[in-house]
Amino acid sequence: MYPECHFTLVDSIGKKVRVAQAVAESIGLKNVECRHERAEEETGKFDFVVSRGVTTLPELCAYASRLIDHRNQHNAFPNGVLCLKGGDVSAEMSKYRNSSEVIPISSWFSEDYFKDKKVIYVQI
């Protein structure tokens, strides 16, 4: 999907980077670059930052803001952050009420594991 898009995958754990690179190569993806580095070291500009819920949403958005390309808007959603979060996110979302969307993963997957998981989009 989306062969016109370029994806840059960054992780500080080399084993994860090697697996991601091997999967991309094995299925013939030409639009994926895998980097073994800490996200804090990244200097590129991107339409979206996609993350696991590794920190609070305000901290993630503050950090990701420097990576978002604010000049180049050409997607259905304005550039921003997409992250996976579980549990009650209402307190974290209060700051972003007018610029965010919460999508329950249970709308796509019926397994109990996904019952309280969400994809959160925040426009940056």
Side-chain angles (χ1 to χ4, degrees):
M1 293 181 75
Y2 307 107
E4 72 282 359
C5 294
H6 180 79
F7 298 88
T8 302
L9 311 179
V10 175
D11 202 297
S12 63
I13 300 173
K15 184 176 181 179
K16 289 181 182 180
V17 174
R18 288 189 297 277
V19 168
Q21 185 67 51
V23 169
E25 289 172 3
S26 72
I27 62 175
L29 294 178
K30 304 290 185 213
N31 58 343
V32 174
E33 176 184 357
C34 299
R35 296 184 190 165
H36 180 202
E37 65 184 19
R38 294 190 52 81
E40 295 85 354
E41 298 167 355
E42 181 57 54
T43 59
K45 292 291 185 181
F46 305 94
D47 292 348
F48 295 95
V49 170
V50 180
S51 176
R52 296 177 286 120
V54 295
T55 187
T56 67
L57 192 57
E59 288 178 16
L60 176 60
C61 289
Y63 172 75
S65 180
R66 72 176 185 78
L67 298 173
I68 298 294
D69 184 352
H70 299 282
R71 299 161 295 148
N72 190 11
Q73 299 282 328
H74 57 268
N75 300 291
F77 281 93
N79 297 357
V81 171
L82 292 158
C83 70
L84 175 68
K85 296 286 262 181
D88 182 7
V89 296
S90 57
E92 290 185 55
M93 295 297 299
S94 63
K95 179 178 179 180
Y96 307 102
R97 235 173 287 161
N98 299 323
S99 61
S100 65
E101 188 172 338
V102 177
I103 303 126
I105 294 179
S106 60
S107 63
W108 301 308
F109 299 103
S110 60
E111 291 83 2
D112 283 343
Y113 173 79
F114 298 107
K115 192 166 78 175
D116 75 332
K117 305 286 191 271
K118 300 150 192 73
V119 173
I120 296 176
Y121 160 75
V122 179
Q123 179 181 344
I124 298 290

